[in-house]
Coordinates of all heavy atoms in Angstrom, one line a residue:
E1407 N 14.1 -0.4 1.1 CA 14.3 -1.6 0.4 C 13.1 -2.4 0.3 O 12.3 -2.6 1.3 CB 15.4 -2.4 1.3 CG 16.6 -2.7 0.4 CD 17.6 -3.5 1.3 OE1 17.5 -4.7 1.4 OE2 18.5 -2.8 1.7
L1408 N 12.8 -2.9 -0.9 CA 11.6 -3.7 -1.2 C 12.0 -5.0 -1.8 O 13.0 -5.1 -2.5 CB 10.7 -3.0 -2.1 CG 10.2 -1.6 -1.7 CD1 9.4 -0.9 -2.8 CD2 9.4 -1.7 -0.4
L1409 N 11.2 -6.0 -1.5 CA 11.4 -7.3 -2.1 C 10.3 -7.6 -3.2 O 9.1 -7.4 -2.9 CB 11.2 -8.4 -1.0 CG 11.5 -9.9 -1.5 CD1 12.9 -10.0 -2.0 CD2 11.2 -10.8 -0.3
A1410 N 10.7 -7.9 -4.4 CA 9.8 -8.2 -5.5 C 10.4 -9.4 -6.3 O 11.6 -9.6 -6.3 CB 9.7 -7.0 -6.4
R1411 N 9.6 -10.1 -7.0 CA 10.0 -11.2 -7.8 C 10.0 -10.8 -9.3 O 9.2 -10.0 -9.7 CB 9.0 -12.4 -7.7 CG 8.8 -12.8 -6.3 CD 9.7 -14.0 -5.9 NE 9.3 -14.5 -4.6 CZ 10.0 -14.3 -3.5 NH1 11.1 -13.5 -3.5 NH2 9.6 -14.8 -2.4
H1412 N 11.0 -11.3 -10.0 CA 11.2 -11.0 -11.4 C 11.5 -12.3 -12.1 O 12.3 -13.1 -11.6 CB 12.2 -9.9 -11.7 CG 12.3 -9.4 -13.1 ND1 13.0 -10.0 -14.1 CD2 11.6 -8.4 -13.6 CE1 12.8 -9.3 -15.2 NE2 12.0 -8.3 -15.0
P1413 N 10.9 -12.6 -13.3 CA 11.1 -13.9 -13.9 C 12.5 -14.2 -14.4 O 13.0 -15.3 -14.5 CB 10.1 -14.0 -15.0 CG 9.8 -12.6 -15.3 CD 9.9 -11.8 -14.0
D1414 N 13.2 -13.1 -14.7 CA 14.6 -13.2 -15.3 C 15.6 -12.5 -14.3 O 15.3 -11.5 -13.7 CB 14.7 -12.5 -16.7 CG 13.7 -13.1 -17.6 OD1 13.6 -14.4 -17.7 OD2 13.0 -12.4 -18.3
P1415 N 16.8 -13.1 -14.3 CA 17.8 -12.5 -13.4 C 18.2 -11.1 -14.0 O 18.2 -10.9 -15.2 CB 19.0 -13.4 -13.5 CG 18.5 -14.7 -14.1 CD 17.3 -14.3 -14.9
L1416 N 18.4 -10.1 -13.1 CA 18.8 -8.8 -13.5 C 20.2 -8.5 -13.0 O 20.5 -8.9 -11.9 CB 17.9 -7.7 -13.0 CG 16.4 -7.8 -13.5 CD1 15.6 -6.8 -12.7 CD2 16.3 -7.4 -14.9
P1417 N 21.0 -7.9 -13.8 CA 22.4 -7.5 -13.3 C 22.3 -6.6 -12.1 O 21.5 -5.8 -12.0 CB 23.0 -6.8 -14.5 CG 22.2 -7.2 -15.7 CD 20.8 -7.4 -15.2
E1418 N 23.2 -6.9 -11.2 CA 23.3 -6.0 -10.0 C 23.5 -4.6 -10.4 O 24.2 -4.3 -11.3 CB 24.5 -6.5 -9.1 CG 24.4 -5.8 -7.8 CD 25.5 -6.3 -6.8 OE1 25.8 -7.5 -6.9 OE2 26.0 -5.5 -6.0
G1419 N 22.7 -3.7 -9.8 CA 22.8 -2.3 -10.1 C 21.8 -1.8 -11.1 O 21.7 -0.6 -11.4
T1420 N 21.0 -2.7 -11.7 CA 20.0 -2.4 -12.7 C 18.9 -1.5 -12.0 O 18.4 -1.8 -11.0 CB 19.3 -3.6 -13.2 OG1 20.3 -4.5 -13.8 CG2 18.2 -3.2 -14.2
S1421 N 18.7 -0.3 -12.7 CA 17.6 0.6 -12.2 C 16.3 0.0 -12.5 O 16.0 -0.3 -13.7 CB 17.8 2.0 -12.8 OG 16.9 2.9 -12.3
V1422 N 15.4 -0.1 -11.5 CA 14.0 -0.6 -11.8 C 13.0 0.2 -11.0 O 13.3 1.0 -10.1 CB 13.9 -2.1 -11.3 CG1 14.9 -3.0 -12.0 CG2 14.1 -2.2 -9.8
G1423 N 11.8 0.1 -11.4 CA 10.6 0.6 -10.7 C 9.8 -0.5 -10.2 O 9.9 -1.7 -10.7
I1424 N 9.0 -0.3 -9.2 CA 8.1 -1.3 -8.7 C 6.7 -0.8 -8.7 O 6.4 0.3 -8.3 CB 8.5 -1.7 -7.2 CG1 10.0 -2.1 -7.1 CG2 7.6 -2.7 -6.6 CD1 10.3 -3.4 -7.7
A1425 N 5.8 -1.7 -9.2 CA 4.4 -1.3 -9.2 C 3.6 -2.4 -8.4 O 3.9 -3.6 -8.6 CB 3.9 -1.3 -10.6
V1426 N 2.7 -1.9 -7.6 CA 1.8 -2.8 -6.9 C 0.4 -2.3 -7.0 O 0.1 -1.1 -6.8 CB 2.2 -2.9 -5.4 CG1 1.3 -3.8 -4.6 CG2 3.6 -3.2 -5.2
R1427 N -0.6 -3.1 -7.4 CA -1.9 -2.7 -7.6 C -2.5 -2.3 -6.2 O -2.2 -2.9 -5.2 CB -2.8 -3.8 -8.2 CG -2.4 -4.1 -9.6 CD -3.4 -5.0 -10.3 NE -4.7 -4.5 -10.3 CZ -5.2 -3.7 -11.2 NH1 -4.5 -3.1 -12.1 NH2 -6.5 -3.3 -11.1
P1428 N -3.3 -1.2 -6.2 CA -3.8 -0.6 -4.9 C -4.5 -1.7 -4.0 O -4.4 -1.7 -2.8 CB -4.7 0.5 -5.3 CG -4.2 0.9 -6.6 CD -3.7 -0.3 -7.3
E1429 N -5.3 -2.6 -4.7 CA -6.0 -3.6 -3.9 C -5.2 -4.7 -3.4 O -5.6 -5.5 -2.6 CB -7.2 -4.1 -4.8 CG -6.8 -4.9 -6.0 CD -6.5 -4.1 -7.2 OE1 -6.4 -2.9 -7.2 OE2 -6.4 -4.7 -8.3
K1430 N -3.9 -4.8 -3.8 CA -3.0 -5.8 -3.3 C -2.3 -5.4 -2.1 O -1.5 -6.2 -1.5 CB -2.0 -6.2 -4.4 CG -2.6 -6.8 -5.7 CD -3.1 -8.2 -5.4 CE -3.5 -8.8 -6.7 NZ -4.0 -10.2 -6.5
I1431 N -2.4 -4.1 -1.7 CA -1.8 -3.6 -0.5 C -2.7 -3.7 0.7 O -3.8 -3.3 0.7 CB -1.3 -2.1 -0.7 CG1 -0.4 -2.0 -1.9 CG2 -0.7 -1.6 0.6 CD1 0.0 -0.6 -2.3
D1432 N -2.2 -4.4 1.8 CA -3.0 -4.5 3.0 C -2.7 -3.3 3.9 O -1.6 -2.9 4.0 CB -2.7 -5.8 3.7 CG -3.2 -7.0 2.9 OD1 -4.3 -6.9 2.3 OD2 -2.4 -8.0 2.8
V1433 N -3.7 -2.9 4.7 CA -3.6 -1.8 5.6 C -3.6 -2.3 7.1 O -4.5 -3.1 7.4 CB -4.7 -0.7 5.4 CG1 -4.5 0.4 6.4 CG2 -4.7 -0.3 4.0
H1434 N -2.7 -1.8 7.9 CA -2.7 -2.2 9.3 C -2.4 -1.0 10.2 O -1.8 -0.1 9.8 CB -1.5 -3.2 9.5 CG -1.3 -4.3 8.5 ND1 -1.9 -5.5 8.6 CD2 -0.7 -4.3 7.3 CE1 -1.6 -6.2 7.6 NE2 -0.9 -5.5 6.7
E1435 N -3.0 -1.1 11.4 CA -2.7 0.0 12.4 C -1.4 -0.2 13.1 O -0.9 0.8 13.7 CB -3.9 0.1 13.3 CG -5.2 0.6 12.6 CD -6.4 0.7 13.4 OE1 -6.3 0.6 14.7 OE2 -7.5 0.9 12.9
T1436 N -0.9 -1.4 13.2 CA 0.4 -1.7 13.8 C 1.2 -2.5 12.8 O 0.8 -3.0 11.8 CB 0.2 -2.5 15.1 OG1 -0.5 -3.8 14.8 CG2 -0.7 -1.8 16.1
R1437 N 2.5 -2.5 13.1 CA 3.5 -3.2 12.2 C 3.1 -4.6 12.0 O 3.0 -5.4 13.0 CB 4.9 -3.1 12.8 CG 5.9 -3.7 11.8 CD 7.3 -3.6 12.4 NE 8.3 -4.2 11.4 CZ 9.0 -3.4 10.6 NH1 8.9 -2.1 10.7 NH2 9.8 -4.0 9.7
P1438 N 2.9 -5.0 10.7 CA 2.5 -6.4 10.5 C 3.6 -7.4 10.5 O 4.8 -7.0 10.2 CB 1.8 -6.3 9.1 CG 2.6 -5.2 8.4 CD 2.9 -4.2 9.5
E1439 N 3.3 -8.6 10.7 CA 4.3 -9.7 10.7 C 4.0 -10.6 9.5 O 2.8 -10.8 9.2 CB 4.3 -10.4 12.0 CG 4.7 -9.6 13.2 CD 6.1 -9.1 13.2 OE1 7.0 -9.7 12.6 OE2 6.3 -7.9 13.7
G1440 N 5.0 -11.2 8.9 CA 4.8 -12.2 8.0 C 4.6 -11.8 6.5 O 4.2 -12.6 5.7
F1441 N 4.9 -10.5 6.2 CA 4.8 -10.0 4.9 C 6.2 -9.7 4.3 O 7.1 -9.4 5.1 CB 4.0 -8.7 4.8 CG 2.5 -8.9 5.0 CD1 1.9 -8.9 6.3 CD2 1.7 -9.2 3.9 CE1 0.6 -9.1 6.4 CE2 0.3 -9.4 4.1 CZ -0.2 -9.3 5.3
D1442 N 6.4 -9.8 3.0 CA 7.7 -9.6 2.4 C 8.0 -8.1 2.5 O 9.2 -7.7 2.6 CB 7.6 -10.0 0.9 CG 7.5 -11.5 0.7 OD1 8.0 -12.2 1.6 OD2 6.8 -11.9 -0.2
N1443 N 7.0 -7.2 2.4 CA 7.3 -5.8 2.4 C 6.3 -5.1 3.4 O 5.1 -5.4 3.4 CB 7.0 -5.2 1.0 CG 7.9 -5.8 0.0 OD1 9.1 -5.5 0.0 ND2 7.4 -6.6 -0.9
A1444 N 6.8 -4.2 4.2 CA 6.0 -3.4 5.1 C 6.6 -2.0 5.2 O 7.8 -1.8 5.4 CB 5.9 -4.0 6.5
V1445 N 5.8 -1.0 5.0 CA 6.2 0.4 5.1 C 5.2 1.2 6.0 O 4.0 0.9 6.0 CB 6.4 1.1 3.8 CG1 7.5 0.4 3.0 CG2 5.1 1.1 3.0
M1446 N 5.7 2.2 6.7 CA 4.8 3.0 7.5 C 4.6 4.4 6.8 O 5.5 4.9 6.1 CB 5.5 3.3 8.8 CG 4.6 4.1 9.8 SD 5.3 4.2 11.4 CE 6.7 5.2 11.1
G1447 N 3.4 5.0 6.9 CA 3.2 6.3 6.3 C 2.0 6.9 6.9 O 1.3 6.4 7.8
K1448 N 1.7 8.2 6.5 CA 0.6 8.9 6.9 C -0.5 9.1 5.8 O -0.1 9.4 4.7 CB 1.0 10.3 7.4 CG 1.8 10.3 8.8 CD 1.9 11.7 9.3 CE 2.5 11.6 10.7 NZ 1.6 11.3 11.8
V1449 N -1.7 9.1 6.2 CA -2.8 9.3 5.2 C -2.8 10.8 4.8 O -2.9 11.6 5.7 CB -4.2 8.9 5.9 CG1 -5.3 9.2 4.9 CG2 -4.2 7.5 6.3
R1450 N -2.7 11.0 3.5 CA -2.6 12.4 3.0 C -3.9 12.8 2.3 O -4.2 13.9 2.1 CB -1.4 12.6 2.1 CG -0.1 12.5 2.9 CD 0.0 13.5 4.0 NE 1.3 13.4 4.7 CZ 1.4 13.7 5.9 NH1 0.4 14.2 6.6 NH2 2.6 13.6 6.5
D1451 N -4.6 11.7 1.7 CA -5.8 12.0 1.0 C -6.7 10.8 1.1 O -6.3 9.7 1.2 CB -5.5 12.4 -0.5 CG -6.7 13.1 -1.1 OD1 -7.6 13.6 -0.5 OD2 -6.7 13.1 -2.4
I1452 N -8.1 11.0 1.0 CA -9.0 10.0 1.1 C -10.1 10.2 0.1 O -10.6 11.3 -0.1 CB -9.7 9.9 2.5 CG1 -8.7 9.7 3.6 CG2 -10.8 8.8 2.6 CD1 -9.2 9.9 5.0
A1453 N -10.5 9.2 -0.6 CA -11.7 9.2 -1.5 C -12.6 8.1 -1.1 O -12.2 6.9 -1.2 CB -11.2 9.1 -3.0
Y1454 N -13.8 8.4 -0.7 CA -14.8 7.4 -0.3 C -15.7 7.2 -1.5 O -16.4 8.1 -1.9 CB -15.6 7.9 0.9 CG -16.5 6.9 1.4 CD1 -16.1 5.7 2.0 CD2 -17.9 7.1 1.3 CE1 -17.0 4.7 2.4 CE2 -18.8 6.1 1.8 CZ -18.4 5.0 2.3 OH -19.3 4.0 2.8
L1455 N -15.7 5.9 -2.0 CA -16.5 5.7 -3.2 C -17.6 4.6 -3.0 O -17.8 3.7 -3.8 CB -15.5 5.2 -4.3 CG -14.4 6.1 -4.6 CD1 -13.4 5.5 -5.6 CD2 -14.9 7.5 -5.2
G1456 N -18.3 4.7 -1.9 CA -19.3 3.7 -1.6 C -18.8 2.4 -1.1 O -18.6 2.3 0.1
D1457 N -18.5 1.5 -2.0 CA -18.1 0.2 -1.5 C -16.6 0.1 -1.3 O -16.0 -0.9 -0.8 CB -18.5 -0.9 -2.5 CG -18.0 -0.8 -3.9 OD1 -17.6 0.3 -4.2 OD2 -17.9 -1.8 -4.6
V1458 N -15.8 1.1 -1.7 CA -14.4 1.1 -1.5 C -13.9 2.5 -1.0 O -14.6 3.5 -1.3 CB -13.6 0.8 -2.8 CG1 -13.8 -0.6 -3.2 CG2 -13.8 1.8 -3.9
S1459 N -12.8 2.5 -0.3 CA -12.1 3.8 0.0 C -10.8 3.7 -0.6 O -10.1 2.7 -0.6 CB -12.0 4.0 1.5 OG -13.3 4.3 2.1
I1460 N -10.3 4.9 -1.1 CA -9.0 5.0 -1.7 C -8.2 5.9 -0.7 O -8.7 7.0 -0.4 CB -9.0 5.7 -3.1 CG1 -9.9 4.9 -4.0 CG2 -7.6 5.8 -3.6 CD1 -9.5 3.5 -4.4
Y1461 N -7.1 5.5 -0.3 CA -6.2 6.2 0.6 C -4.9 6.5 -0.1 O -4.3 5.6 -0.7 CB -5.9 5.5 1.9 CG -7.1 5.1 2.7 CD1 -7.7 3.9 2.6 CD2 -7.7 6.1 3.6 CE1 -8.9 3.6 3.3 CE2 -8.8 5.8 4.3 CZ -9.4 4.6 4.2 OH -10.5 4.3 4.9
H1462 N -4.4 7.7 0.0 CA -3.1 8.1 -0.5 C -2.2 8.2 0.8 O -2.5 9.1 1.6 CB -3.0 9.4 -1.3 CG -3.7 9.2 -2.6 ND1 -4.3 10.3 -3.3 CD2 -3.9 8.1 -3.4 CE1 -4.8 9.8 -4.4 NE2 -4.5 8.6 -4.5
V1463 N -1.2 7.3 0.9 CA -0.4 7.3 2.1 C 1.0 7.6 1.7 O 1.6 7.0 0.9 CB -0.5 5.8 2.7 CG1 0.4 5.8 4.0 CG2 -1.9 5.5 3.1
Q1464 N 1.6 8.6 2.4 CA 2.9 9.1 2.2 C 3.9 8.5 3.2 O 3.7 8.6 4.4 CB 3.0 10.6 2.3 CG 4.4 11.1 1.9 CD 4.4 12.7 1.9 OE1 3.6 13.3 2.5 NE2 5.3 13.2 1.1
T1465 N 4.9 7.8 2.6 CA 5.9 7.1 3.5 C 6.9 8.2 4.0 O 7.0 9.3 3.5 CB 6.7 6.0 2.7 OG1 7.5 6.7 1.7 CG2 5.7 5.0 2.1
E1466 N 7.7 7.7 5.0 CA 8.8 8.6 5.5 C 9.8 9.0 4.4 O 10.4 10.1 4.5 CB 9.5 7.9 6.7 CG 8.6 7.8 7.9 CD 9.3 7.0 9.0 OE1 10.1 6.1 8.7 OE2 8.9 7.4 10.2
A1467 N 9.9 8.1 3.4 CA 10.9 8.4 2.3 C 10.3 9.4 1.3 O 10.9 9.8 0.4 CB 11.3 7.1 1.6
G1468 N 9.0 9.7 1.4 CA 8.3 10.7 0.5 C 7.5 10.1 -0.6 O 6.8 10.8 -1.3
A1469 N 7.5 8.8 -0.7 CA 6.7 8.1 -1.8 C 5.3 8.1 -1.3 O 5.0 8.0 -0.1 CB 7.2 6.7 -1.9
V1470 N 4.4 8.3 -2.3 CA 2.9 8.2 -2.0 C 2.4 6.9 -2.6 O 2.5 6.7 -3.8 CB 2.2 9.5 -2.6 CG1 0.7 9.4 -2.3 CG2 2.8 10.7 -1.9
L1471 N 1.8 6.1 -1.8 CA 1.2 4.9 -2.2 C -0.3 5.0 -2.2 O -0.9 5.5 -1.3 CB 1.6 3.7 -1.3 CG 3.0 3.2 -1.5 CD1 4.0 4.1 -0.7 CD2 3.1 1.8 -1.1
R1472 N -1.0 4.5 -3.3 CA -2.4 4.5 -3.4 C -2.9 3.1 -2.9 O -2.5 2.1 -3.4 CB -2.9 4.8 -4.8 CG -4.3 4.8 -5.0 CD -4.7 5.0 -6.4 NE -6.1 4.8 -6.5 CZ -6.8 4.9 -7.6 NH1 -6.2 5.4 -8.7 NH2 -8.1 4.7 -7.7
V1473 N -3.8 3.1 -1.9 CA -4.3 1.9 -1.3 C -5.8 1.9 -1.5 O -6.5 2.9 -1.3 CB -3.9 1.8 0.2 CG1 -4.4 0.6 0.8 CG2 -2.4 2.0 0.4
Q1474 N -6.3 0.7 -1.9 CA -7.8 0.6 -2.0 C -8.3 -0.4 -1.0 O -7.8 -1.6 -0.9 CB -8.1 0.1 -3.4 CG -9.6 -0.2 -3.6 CD -9.9 -0.6 -5.0 OE1 -9.4 0.0 -6.0 NE2 -10.7 -1.6 -5.2
E1475 N -9.3 0.0 -0.2 CA -9.9 -1.0 0.8 C -11.3 -1.2 0.4 O -12.1 -0.2 0.2 CB -9.8 -0.4 2.2 CG -8.5 -0.7 2.9 CD -8.8 -0.8 4.4 OE1 -9.6 -0.1 4.9 OE2 -8.1 -1.7 5.0
T1476 N -11.8 -2.4 0.2 CA -13.2 -2.7 0.0 C -13.9 -2.8 1.3 O -13.4 -3.5 2.2 CB -13.3 -4.0 -0.8 OG1 -12.5 -3.9 -2.0 CG2 -14.7 -4.4 -1.1
H1477 N -15.1 -2.2 1.4 CA -15.8 -2.3 2.6 C -16.7 -3.6 2.7 O -17.3 -3.9 1.8 CB -16.8 -1.1 2.7 CG -16.0 0.2 2.6 ND1 -15.3 0.7 3.7 CD2 -15.9 1.1 1.6 CE1 -14.7 1.9 3.3 NE2 -15.1 2.1 2.1
V1478 N -16.6 -4.2 3.8 CA -17.4 -5.4 4.0 C -18.7 -5.1 4.7 O -19.6 -5.9 4.6 CB -16.6 -6.5 4.9 CG1 -15.4 -7.0 4.1 CG2 -16.2 -5.9 6.2
A1479 N -18.8 -4.0 5.3 CA -20.1 -3.5 5.9 C -20.4 -2.1 5.5 O -19.5 -1.3 5.2 CB -20.0 -3.6 7.5
R1480 N -21.6 -1.8 5.4 CA -22.0 -0.4 4.9 C -21.7 0.6 6.0 O -21.9 0.4 7.2 CB -23.5 -0.4 4.7 CG -24.0 0.9 4.1 CD -25.4 0.9 3.8 NE -25.8 2.2 3.3 CZ -26.8 2.4 2.5 NH1 -27.4 1.4 2.0 NH2 -27.0 3.6 2.1
S1481 N -21.1 1.7 5.5 CA -20.7 2.8 6.4 C -20.6 4.1 5.6 O -20.3 4.1 4.5 CB -19.3 2.5 7.0 OG -18.8 3.6 7.8
S1482 N -20.9 5.2 6.3 CA -20.9 6.5 5.6 C -19.5 7.2 5.8 O -19.3 8.2 5.3 CB -22.0 7.4 6.1 OG -21.8 7.6 7.5
E1483 N -18.6 6.5 6.6 CA -17.3 7.1 6.9 C -16.2 6.2 6.5 O -16.3 5.0 6.6 CB -17.2 7.4 8.4 CG -18.2 8.4 8.9 CD -18.0 9.8 8.3 OE1 -16.8 10.2 8.2 OE2 -19.0 10.5 8.1
P1484 N -15.1 6.8 6.0 CA -13.9 6.0 5.8 C -13.4 5.4 7.1 O -13.6 6.0 8.2 CB -12.9 7.0 5.2 CG -13.7 8.1 4.8 CD -14.9 8.2 5.6
H1485 N -12.7 4.3 7.1 CA -12.2 3.7 8.3 C -11.1 4.5 8.9 O -11.0 4.5 10.2 CB -11.8 2.2 8.0 CG -11.4 1.5 9.2 ND1 -12.3 1.0 10.2 CD2 -10.2 1.1 9.7 CE1 -11.6 0.4 11.1 NE2 -10.4 0.4 10.9
Y1486 N -10.3 5.1 8.1 CA -9.1 5.8 8.6 C -9.3 7.3 8.3 O -10.2 7.7 7.4 CB -7.8 5.3 7.9 CG -7.6 3.8 8.2 CD1 -7.7 2.9 7.2 CD2 -7.3 3.4 9.5 CE1 -7.6 1.6 7.4 CE2 -7.1 2.0 9.7 CZ -7.3 1.1 8.7 OH -7.1 -0.2 8.9
D1487 N -8.5 8.2 8.9 CA -8.7 9.6 8.7 C -7.4 10.2 8.3 O -6.3 9.6 8.3 CB -9.1 10.2 10.1 CG -10.0 11.5 9.9 OD1 -10.0 12.0 8.8 OD2 -10.6 11.9 10.9
W1488 N -7.5 11.5 7.8 CA -6.3 12.2 7.4 C -5.3 12.3 8.6 O -5.7 12.4 9.7 CB -6.7 13.7 7.0 CG -7.3 13.7 5.7 CD1 -6.7 14.0 4.5 CD2 -8.7 13.6 5.4 NE1 -7.6 13.9 3.4 CE2 -8.8 13.7 4.0 CE3 -9.8 13.3 6.1 CZ2 -10.1 13.6 3.3 CZ3 -11.0 13.2 5.5 CH2 -11.2 13.4 4.1
D1489 N -4.0 12.1 8.2 CA -2.9 12.2 9.1 C -2.8 10.9 10.0 O -1.9 10.9 10.9 CB -2.8 13.5 10.0 CG -2.6 14.7 9.1 OD1 -1.8 14.6 8.1 OD2 -3.1 15.8 9.4
D1490 N -3.6 10.0 9.9 CA -3.5 8.7 10.6 C -2.2 8.0 10.2 O -1.8 8.1 9.0 CB -4.6 7.7 10.4 CG -5.9 8.1 11.2 OD1 -5.8 9.0 12.0 OD2 -6.9 7.4 11.0
T1491 N -1.5 7.4 11.1 CA -0.3 6.6 10.7 C -0.7 5.2 10.5 O -1.4 4.6 11.4 CB 0.8 6.7 11.9 OG1 1.2 8.1 12.0 CG2 2.0 5.9 11.5
L1492 N -0.4 4.7 9.4 CA -0.7 3.3 9.0 C 0.5 2.5 8.5 O 1.5 3.1 8.1 CB -1.7 3.3 7.8 CG -3.0 4.0 8.1 CD1 -3.9 4.0 6.8 CD2 -3.8 3.4 9.2
W1493 N 0.4 1.2 8.6 CA 1.4 0.3 8.0 C 0.8 -0.3 6.8 O -0.4 -0.7 6.8 CB 1.8 -0.7 9.0 CG 2.8 -0.3 10.1 CD1 2.5 0.3 11.3 CD2 4.2 -0.3 9.9 NE1 3.6 0.6 11.9 CE2 4.7 0.3 11.1 CE3 5.1 -0.7 9.0 CZ2 6.1 0.4 11.3 CZ3 6.4 -0.6 9.2 CH2 6.9 -0.1 10.4
L1494 N 1.5 -0.3 5.7 CA 1.1 -0.9 4.5 C 2.0 -2.2 4.2 O 3.2 -2.1 4.4 CB 1.2 0.0 3.3 CG 0.5 1.4 3.5 CD1 0.8 2.3 2.3 CD2 -0.9 1.2 3.8
S1495 N 1.4 -3.2 3.7 CA 2.2 -4.4 3.5 C 1.7 -5.1 2.2 O 0.5 -4.9 1.8 CB 2.1 -5.4 4.6 OG 0.8 -5.9 4.8
W1496 N 2.6 -5.9 1.6 CA 2.2 -6.7 0.4 C 3.3 -7.7 0.2 O 4.4 -7.6 0.7 CB 2.1 -5.8 -0.9 CG 3.3 -5.1 -1.3 CD1 4.3 -5.5 -2.2 CD2 3.8 -3.8 -0.8 NE1 5.3 -4.6 -2.3 CE2 5.0 -3.5 -1.4 CE3 3.3 -2.9 0.1 CZ2 5.8 -2.4 -1.2 CZ3 4.0 -1.7 0.4 CH2 5.2 -1.5 -0.3
D1497 N 2.9 -8.8 -0.5 CA 3.8 -9.9 -0.8 C 4.7 -9.5 -2.0 O 4.2 -8.8 -2.9 CB 3.0 -11.2 -1.0 CG 2.4 -11.7 0.2 OD1 3.0 -11.6 1.3 OD2 1.2 -12.2 0.1
A1498 N 5.8 -10.1 -2.1 CA 6.7 -9.9 -3.2 C 6.1 -10.3 -4.5 O 6.3 -9.7 -5.5 CB 8.1 -10.7 -3.0
T1499 N 5.2 -11.3 -4.5 CA 4.6 -11.8 -5.7 C 3.5 -10.8 -6.2 O 3.1 -10.9 -7.3 CB 3.9 -13.2 -5.5 OG1 3.0 -13.1 -4.4 CG2 5.0 -14.2 -5.2
S1500 N 3.1 -9.9 -5.4 CA 2.1 -8.8 -5.8 C 2.8 -7.7 -6.5 O 2.2 -6.8 -7.1 CB 1.4 -8.3 -4.6 OG 0.6 -9.3 -4.0
A1501 N 4.1 -7.6 -6.4 CA 4.9 -6.5 -7.0 C 5.3 -6.8 -8.4 O 5.7 -8.0 -8.6 CB 6.1 -6.1 -6.1
V1502 N 5.3 -5.8 -9.3 CA 5.7 -6.0 -10.7 C 7.0 -5.2 -10.8 O 7.0 -4.0 -10.5 CB 4.7 -5.6 -11.7 CG1 5.2 -5.7 -13.1 CG2 3.4 -6.4 -11.5
V1503 N 8.1 -5.8 -11.3 CA 9.3 -5.1 -11.5 C 9.3 -4.5 -12.9 O 9.0 -5.2 -13.9 CB 10.5 -6.1 -11.4 CG1 11.8 -5.4 -11.7 CG2 10.5 -6.7 -10.0
L1504 N 9.5 -3.2 -13.0 CA 9.5 -2.5 -14.3 C 10.9 -2.1 -14.6 O 11.6 -1.4 -13.8 CB 8.6 -1.3 -14.2 CG 7.2 -1.5 -13.7 CD1 6.5 -0.2 -13.4 CD2 6.4 -2.3 -14.7
T1505 N 11.4 -2.5 -15.8 CA 12.7 -2.1 -16.2 C 12.6 -1.2 -17.4 O 11.6 -1.1 -18.1 CB 13.6 -3.3 -16.7 OG1 12.9 -4.0 -17.7 CG2 13.7 -4.3 -15.5
S1506 N 13.6 -0.4 -17.6 CA 13.5 0.6 -18.7 C 14.0 0.0 -20.0 O 14.5 -1.0 -20.2 CB 14.4 1.9 -18.4 OG 15.7 1.5 -18.1

């Protein structure tokens, strides 16, 4: 279950998709407090691109979320590793509701 904001009321039962930009998702090593949405998953793929790292995190439900972390300090290694368990969080206002 996810919380997202939509400008117009939708009829109950409407099928929707949810999109969140990778840089709007925060990464935590423990369950975060104070966010509208929080999911746990495992790192399945990593791309280190100099000033940013891209993580593909698979949730227990099987969804794969792409997360982008900007580096504040120079490092030659990603902060997280394959198969690490992470918590991902984002605010409802960061999610875009997609209707068909």
Side-chain angles (χ1 to χ4, degrees):
E1407 238 179 80
L1408 302 174
L1409 182 61
R1411 306 264 189 256
H1412 191 271
D1414 301 314
L1416 296 172
E1418 189 172 330
T1420 300
S1421 182
V1422 300
I1424 302 292
V1426 181
R1427 294 189 56 82
E1429 66 273 11
K1430 297 288 188 180
I1431 300 173
D1432 293 320
V1433 180
H1434 314 268
E1435 293 181 10
T1436 60
R1437 185 182 181 97
E1439 299 295 328
F1441 287 91
D1442 296 324
N1443 299 290
V1445 296
M1446 184 176 66
K1448 286 195 177 278
V1449 176
R1450 296 299 182 208
D1451 198 16
I1452 302 170
Y1454 183 68
L1455 306 173
D1457 63 338
V1458 297
S1459 288
I1460 306 293
Y1461 299 96
H1462 290 153
V1463 179
Q1464 185 174 23
T1465 68
E1466 292 177 327
V1470 177
L1471 286 83
R1472 179 180 169 179
V1473 181
Q1474 177 179 314
E1475 274 212 323
T1476 302
H1477 302 287
V1478 292
R1480 186 179 175 146
S1481 172
S1482 62
E1483 296 293 324
H1485 185 74
Y1486 303 109
D1487 209 347
W1488 284 267
D1489 293 326
D1490 280 356
T1491 298
L1492 301 175
W1493 281 89
L1494 308 178
S1495 66
W1496 62 93
D1497 291 320
T1499 56
S1500 296
V1502 177
V1503 177
L1504 307 170
T1505 60
S1506 53

